[in-house]
């Protein structure tokens, strides 16, 4: 899905509309935040958004 380390680092550092404009890296310190990030990644994997 995310093919390289650079892409992963970039994605985690960008504001993501599906996360209400939050950066995934900023959400990783709570269980709820990690769940939100995981859910978005699963939706990307299923092709719901790119």
């Amino acid at each position: 899905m995310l093919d390289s380390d650079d892409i992963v680092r970039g994605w985690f550092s960008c504001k993501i509309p599906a996360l209400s404009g939050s950066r995934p890296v900023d959400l990783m310190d709570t269980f709820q935040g990690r769940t939100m990030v995981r859910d978005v990644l699963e939706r990307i994997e299923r092709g719901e958004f790119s």
Side-chain angles (χ1 to χ4, degrees):
M1 169 178 53
L2 300 175
D3 297 331
S4 77
D5 290 343
D6 290 335
I7 292 171
V8 171
R9 276 191 290 276
W11 188 85
F12 270 84
S13 299
C14 289
K15 293 181 179 180
I16 306 297
L19 295 170
S20 301
S22 295
R23 299 180 325 154
V25 70
D26 296 332
L27 299 173
M28 298 306 289
D29 61 343
T30 67
F31 177 79
Q32 182 180 9
R34 289 188 299 274
T35 299
M36 291 169 56
V37 171
R38 184 188 67 231
D39 290 347
V40 169
L41 288 170
E42 288 174 352
R43 291 172 73 185
I44 291 170
E45 188 174 40
R46 290 192 305 263
E48 293 182 29
F49 22 72
S50 54

